[in-house]
Each structure stands twice: as structure tokens, then as C-alpha cells.
Amino acid sequence: YTDGTRQRVVSGENWKLNVDGPIRTNNEYDGEEYDATKELKGWNNIGYNDAAWMRPELVNAPAGYLSAQMSEPMKVMKSVKPVSIKKSTNGFIIDAGRNIAGWLQIKVHGKKGQPIKLNFAESLQKDGSLYIANLRDAKVTDIYTCKGSGDEVWHPTFVYHGFRYIEISGLNYTPTINDFDVQVVYDALSSTSTFSTSNSTINSIYQNAWWGIAANYKGMPVDCPQRNERQPWLGDRSTGAYGESFLFANQNLYAKWLNDIHEAQTDEGAIPDVAPAFWNYYTDNMTWPGTYLMVADMLYNQYGDKQSLTYHYPFMKKWMYYMKSKYMKNNLIARDKYGDWCVPPESLELIHAKDSLLNTNGELIASAYYYYFLKLMQKFAIVANHQQDVQEYQTLASSIQHAFNAKFYNASKKYYANNSITSNLLPLAFDMVEEANKEAVFNNIYNKIKIDNHMHSSTGVIGTQWLMRTLTKFQRSDIAYTLASNKTYPSWGYMVEQGATTIWELWNGNTADPKMNSQNHVMLLGDLLVWLHENVAGIKSDNQEVAFKKIIMKPENIDGLNFVNASYNSVYGTIKSSWKKTTQQFNWNI
């Protein structure tokens, strides 16, 4: 106070507690139940009668420590008006127009105690009812109980849903679209890009990617917003975080996630496939835990975040030594959990391919990635001022490269392992192939795409992370463009043609078993967004003067693509690249 005295207002035995408020239940997977008849009036005014309130019980504080949240909070970032409302068997079905993550704000009226139920789904069945099989055992249901005082406006507070369609039941009148507001909830990250081309399919894929990424920013990058999962799988974001950085200012989110990953690391050095490790998946493979290194690399390259890289360097090194000491034999690692996850199967009804020629050897994947991570660790050691480690990384990398080529390279046929695209793609992308063999190995990728796959890809989560850039590196951006603009299965455009408004978990997400056909995932984007910005628009950071302090601008001149308009808000300012071509000219404004 002004006289220098001080009064502390703290919780303690004199505080009171009321557990009989309007929010009756809430659970992220199941929904929120709100009874408006239980709303408390005047509790925040002087003279309120709190005689019926309970005294709290004093208990020990929980373990751990509180720290400030350094990343942006979840907020209502957009509002979308529904596009239609139709009568259904149980009530009315509202179409939000696209797949989103958030909730529905309702304006309703009813009698006191009248329950209004909201059920959410991503799509409809053929009879027009909600399709909920892919939600598994998540209830995704909100219930609002009316207080009976005219128009009542409500939305949940402690849950969000992934949905396009909502069935509202319990009304005794016909509502209108104006009674509802679809509120889109995601981390309050600013959008950092604009992007459009002369190809409408690519434009739709780009928009679907934006909405899918936004839907899965929830204080950490989760895999999906709708079913009983919603977990921060590392493998979904290894290259994904890189592509996302062009669309959203995601530096704080991913710097925070690196801390989550480090805190989930065991004393021995293991890193889980999911972090924070709510799901206890410590399977010790290379590709999912290795996202720890790839996200640190993204933060440094895109944002100049040297601090995160320096802080996490010893923990990344610890993981590398852990995997080497436990699993390396004859300079190779035969430890892989997921393979090239979700390659497009030979049948639209399958979840996973059964054809062995589509799948990639796990030892090849793990060993190639360990080699790649050693290359990253050489870079990190210099940035983090641990130059004494570089020689050890270089020596081991050389030994792995030799053992890798000796085991997997077929010298007579010029391909690796079983000649799957990913088998050849990884050693090319990671520069493991002898110079004299590179063109021949790439030709096997070209032939596989052109002849066997009829100008479609056959890569899963792993291969797709390197596909578009490697094709372009070997002067075949035309093939990359075909893959990006395809409309038939398997392709991103196929999803668009089937009415998708986000990216699916599976290339055949509309036909595969419901247990695994999330219609809002981002893991299959691979390096598409990176390729669109760096190679198609021509906006790329230099590898030495990072974070766009020096900009490399080199757009690909692709037949069939007539113009590109793009911009990116880098940490040094906005970069714009717009080009247009005719038969006579190539005009480029930068």
C-alpha cells in the first residue's frame, strides 16, 4: 500500500471450494458436459453467501516445477460460418464446409433442464449419418443443458474436436445457420506465407496443408485432432516441421517441443517415438527419435536458433552414442520399428502394403539415417563449439558408408536392396552413393516412377520426405511437378478429388480400414511444402548464412506451370517471388 505496508492474498485454509458448478465433465477425447442450471450468480461480488461451499483439503504440492510457457497459447483463431444444415434421423446435421479443429458455438433456446447434444465427425456415411468408426472409442460429444431463459449462447472451454460435420439433437424447433459459429482453435502462430500457382490442384493441396497443420498445433505438434490418439509422434514432423516453417511462425512451438523430447529422454539415452511420452513408446528405432536432430536443424536453418541447438547438443550426442553402443554391428544398425510407414498399398482396401517390393529394408533405413545424423552432428558440433567431436563423426560416417554400400548396393543392377524407390532415394539424398554410380541409381528411381508406378509415387512417410527435392536435384523437377499435380491414386491431388479439405493419414484414407484412416494428418506431406517454396517459388535460405540472412533464389522452370506468386515472412523481413511465363518470355519479380 502507499504507506509501505503489504498484504498477501494467497490460497490456504480460509479459501473455499465449490465443486457443483456448470461444467459437469470434460475430457479431450470425449467432450464437455455443461449444465447451465448450475451456473453461479454473484460469486465474485462482495456479500455473496458461500455457506454451502466446501473448505479445501490441504495436500502436498505435485512433483516437478512450474515454468513459463514460452510458446504461443491455443486460441480461437478463426470463425467459420456453416455452409448448410439438414434434417437428420436424430436432429440436424451441420456442415462446417471443411475439416477443422475447434468447437461449435451454439445459440439455442429450450426449457430449463433440456439437454442439447452435439456429436462430431469428419465425414458422413452414404445414408447421410455421421461416420464415426475412425474415431475409435473417443466419444467426441458435447452436451449443453439449457437454463430456460431465452436465447442461450455457449461453447465448450476445456476440449476441442476435429470435425467437419456436427449433429445437433434435443431441439424442439428448426435452427438456422445463423444460430451456429464454427470456431477454429490452434496455437496463436502467425501465418508467414502466401502461395498460389496456375495449377488449381496444387493450390488446393497447399490450402489443405495449411488447415491440417493448424488443426494439429495444440501446444505441441500432434498427429490428429479427432480420434482417441492426438499424440505428438516424432516421425510425423521430421521434415514436416521444415515445410511448416514456411507457412507458420513455428519457432517457439518447436523450440518448446525440443525441450519436451529432451525431458522424455531416459538416463541411458533413449528417446521415445512420442514426446511428451504420454504413450510409453521407447522402441529404439532411428527414424522417429531422430526427429530430435532434424527439428533442431530446422530451427537453426530457418530461424538462426543457435541457442536451442547448443543446449540440446549433448543430449543429441548422448542418443547417438546410445544407439551405436546398443545396436550397431559391423557399422550397420539393424533396428527399425516402422519401415517406410504408410506406403500406398497395392489395394485400396489395405492399410499397409503386402507386396515386398513396395517395402524397404529396415536395416537400410536405420543405417542410412544414422549416417545422415552423423553429418548433422558434424555441423552441430561446429555451431555448438564442440569442434573436437567432428573427426570422430567423420570417421564413423565413412565406415558406415563403406559397410552400407558393401551390403545393400547391387553393382550389376545399379540399385540398392530390393530397388524400392526409398531404397535408392535415401542413399542419394544423403550423398552415400559413389559419384560414378549416382546417375544409374537415380535412373532406377526414374524407371520405377515412370514404368512401374505410371508416374505416381510409391513412397511412405520416410521416402516422401526426400522425394521432391531429390528429383529436382537430379534435374527432374518435371517428374516432381507431375507427382505434385496428379489427381489419381496415389497422390495428394487424389485426396482433393475425393473432397478432402485437409491431408489424410493414408494415401487411400477414404477406403482403408476405419481404424486407421484419419482424415486430418500431415505426415504424408513429406518435403512437398519445402519443394514448393524453395524450388518452385525459389525462396531458400543459404546453408551458411542461415535464417535467410543470405537468400538463394532459383525457381524451377517447369513445363505446364505458367505462374507462381509467393511470399515468405522471414526473420529478416518479407521475401517475395513471383514469376510468369509465356512461349516468349520468363518474367520474374523478386
Side-chain angles (χ1 to χ4, degrees):
Y1 293 98
T2 53
D3 63 359
T5 60
R6 207 176 265 187
Q7 178 186 9
R8 296 184 181 274
V9 182
V10 297
S11 59
E13 292 181 347
N14 292 328
W15 282 48
K16 286 194 169 184
L17 170 71
N18 179 21
V19 297
D20 194 26
I23 298 179
R24 311 308 293 175
T25 67
N26 65 79
N27 175 281
E28 180 172 323
Y29 303 109
D30 292 338
E32 186 166 303
E33 297 182 29
Y34 187 97
D35 186 348
T37 67
K38 295 283 188 178
E39 288 179 348
L40 305 171
K41 297 180 180 179
W43 63 270
N44 54 342
N45 295 329
I46 295 171
Y48 177 77
N49 182 4
D50 61 2
W53 285 38
M54 302 165 58
R55 287 193 178 278
E57 178 184 351
L58 296 181
V59 297
N60 292 327
Y65 62 91
L66 292 173
S67 59
Q69 176 174 312
M70 302 308 292
S71 57
E72 292 81 355
M74 280 187 279
K75 288 183 177 179
V76 175
M77 297 295 290
K78 290 178 179 287
S79 290
V80 177
K81 270 296 172 191
V83 296
S84 70
I85 181 168
K86 297 179 180 179
K87 191 80 174 68
S88 68
T89 303
N90 299 316
F92 301 89
I93 289 183
I94 302 161
D95 181 0
R98 65 176 315 113
N99 206 347
I100 66 104
W103 52 59
L104 182 70
Q105 179 172 285
I106 60 174
K107 182 176 71 174
V108 296
H109 58 266
K111 297 178 181 179
K112 182 177 181 180
Q114 180 178 336
I116 309 296
K117 182 184 289 188
L118 303 171
N119 294 95
F120 298 82
E122 292 186 295
S123 56
L124 301 177
Q125 300 189 71
K126 291 181 179 179
D127 64 0
S129 61
L130 298 183
Y131 174 75
I132 60 173
N134 67 330
L135 304 179
R136 301 170 179 171
D137 61 356
K139 295 178 182 177
V140 292
T141 300
D142 294 338
I143 299 175
Y144 176 78
T145 301
C146 298
K147 56 189 170 185
S149 59
D151 286 341
E152 303 175 38
V153 178
W154 175 82
H155 65 70
T157 307
F158 292 106
V159 301
Y160 70 88
H161 306 289
F163 65 95
R164 173 172 175 171
Y165 299 96
I166 316 100
E167 184 171 59
I168 183 167
S169 56
L171 297 175
N172 51 14
Y173 62 93
T174 300
T176 69
I177 285 177
N178 293 328
D179 295 329
F180 306 105
D181 190 29
V182 178
Q183 299 188 337
V184 184
V185 176
Y186 59 92
D187 293 346
L189 308 181
S190 60
S191 294
T192 52
S193 70
T194 60
F195 186 88
S196 64
T197 74
S198 59
N199 186 286
S200 60
T201 298
I202 289 179
N203 295 342
S204 295
I205 294 167
Y206 193 89
Q207 286 300 310
N208 287 3
W210 188 98
W211 282 94
I213 294 165
N216 287 295
Y217 279 164
K218 293 293 181 290
M220 61 192 78
V222 297
D223 68 322
C224 61
Q226 76 294 90
R227 67 188 182 202
N228 65 346
E229 189 166 0
R230 313 185 194 189
Q231 294 297 310
W233 287 92
L234 272 69
D236 292 23
R237 291 321 218 281
S238 44
T239 299
Y242 184 7
E244 294 164 20
S245 71
F246 282 102
L247 276 66
F248 291 92
N250 61 10
Q251 177 185 359
N252 293 337
L253 173 71
Y254 278 105
K256 178 263 185 190
W257 198 41
L258 285 185
N259 293 336
D260 292 337
I261 297 170
H262 158 53
E263 289 173 5
Q265 187 175 29
T266 66
D267 293 338
E268 193 179 5
I271 292 173
D273 300 337
V274 177
F278 180 72
W279 283 12
N280 190 22
Y281 281 12
Y282 287 84
T283 62
D284 280 353
N285 63 103
M286 290 301 305
T287 47
W288 264 241
T291 297
Y292 189 29
L293 281 67
M294 295 177 71
V295 169
D297 191 43
M298 180 279 287
L299 289 172
Y300 178 67
N301 290 335
Q302 296 293 93
Y303 298 104
D305 185 358
K306 180 179 178 181
Q307 182 176 353
S308 288
L309 198 156
T310 302
Y311 175 79
H312 290 281
Y313 177 82
F315 310 116
M316 294 187 286
K317 179 180 177 181
K318 183 178 183 179
W319 175 69
M320 293 288 288
Y321 274 102
Y322 167 78
M323 294 298 293
K324 176 191 173 187
S325 63
K326 197 165 183 179
Y327 300 111
M328 185 169 286
K329 185 177 181 180
N330 298 325
N331 294 314
L332 295 174
I333 293 182
R335 183 72 181 184
D336 179 70
K337 170 70 175 177
Y338 304 107
D340 192 14
W341 187 246
C342 292
V343 297
E346 57 275 26
S347 169
L348 284 169
E349 289 71 38
L350 292 173
I351 291 179
H352 300 297
K354 295 181 178 180
D355 184 350
S356 61
L357 294 178
L358 294 174
N359 295 313
T360 300
N361 181 287
E363 186 178 17
L364 181 150
I365 293 174
S367 300
Y369 264 81
Y370 197 92
Y371 175 88
Y372 172 65
F373 293 149
L374 284 170
K375 293 289 189 180
L376 288 183
M377 291 302 290
Q378 293 175 44
K379 172 183 173 181
F380 295 170
I382 295 171
V383 174
N385 200 27
H386 290 274
Q387 287 89 342
Q388 69 276 9
D389 295 339
V390 172
Q391 185 59 52
E392 182 181 358
Y393 298 143
Q394 288 176 338
T395 301
L396 181 55
S398 178
S399 298
I400 291 173
Q401 182 181 15
H402 178 76
F404 183 91
N405 285 322
K407 178 159 188 176
F408 297 113
Y409 184 61
N410 187 322
S412 62
K413 296 183 178 179
K414 308 294 184 182
Y415 61 64
Y416 284 82
N418 67 342
N419 197 31
S420 72
I421 289 180
T422 299
S423 296
N424 294 316
L425 191 61
L426 295 185
L428 279 176
F430 300 160
D431 202 21
M432 302 178 75
V433 184
E434 296 294 334
E435 191 65 38
N437 299 328
K438 286 182 177 179
E439 184 176 351
V441 173
F442 179 79
N443 284 339
N444 278 300
I445 293 177
Y446 168 78
N447 290 331
K448 180 75 72 170
I449 294 175
K450 183 178 181 180
I451 299 172
D452 294 359
N453 301 334
H454 309 290
M455 292 305 286
H456 289 74
S457 174
S458 61
T459 53
V461 171
I462 299 301
T464 307
Q465 295 178 39
W466 310 98
L467 180 61
M468 307 297 279
R469 288 173 294 170
T470 303
L471 288 170
T472 302
K473 178 182 177 181
F474 283 85
Q475 309 301 315
R476 295 313 305 255
S477 57
D478 58 326
I479 299 177
Y481 173 69
T482 299
L483 299 182
S485 56
N486 276 336
K487 298 181 182 181
T488 51
Y489 174 82
S491 66
W492 299 290
Y494 171 75
M495 303 179 195
V496 173
E497 291 298 301
Q498 298 301 312
T501 58
T502 44
I503 306 299
W504 295 341
E505 180 180 20
L506 303 174
W507 294 107
N508 55 334
N510 61 326
T511 56
D513 189 290
K515 292 181 180 178
M516 200 178 136
N517 60 0
S518 158
Q519 295 167 28
N520 196 344
H521 256 63
V522 295
M523 66 183 188
L524 283 182
L525 282 168
D527 66 350
L528 175 65
L529 296 176
V530 179
W531 180 77
L532 289 175
H533 281 274
E534 292 186 349
N535 300 109
V536 177
I539 300 176
K540 184 180 186 299
S541 176
D542 181 68
N543 292 330
Q544 301 299 318
E545 297 185 59
V546 295
F548 301 89
K549 184 174 184 179
K550 181 178 179 181
I551 313 165
I552 307 299
M553 305 190 78
K554 185 187 176 185
E556 294 293 315
N557 184 1
I558 301 171
D559 287 342
L561 198 61
N562 298 323
F563 72 81
V564 171
N565 296 317
S567 68
Y568 171 64
N569 297 332
S570 77
V571 293
Y572 281 100
T574 302
I575 306 161
K576 294 183 179 181
S577 174
S578 297
W579 58 260
K580 183 178 182 179
K581 65 178 182 179
T582 64
T583 53
Q584 301 296 325
Q585 289 184 318
F586 185 93
N587 295 304
W588 187 25
N589 293 319
I590 62 173

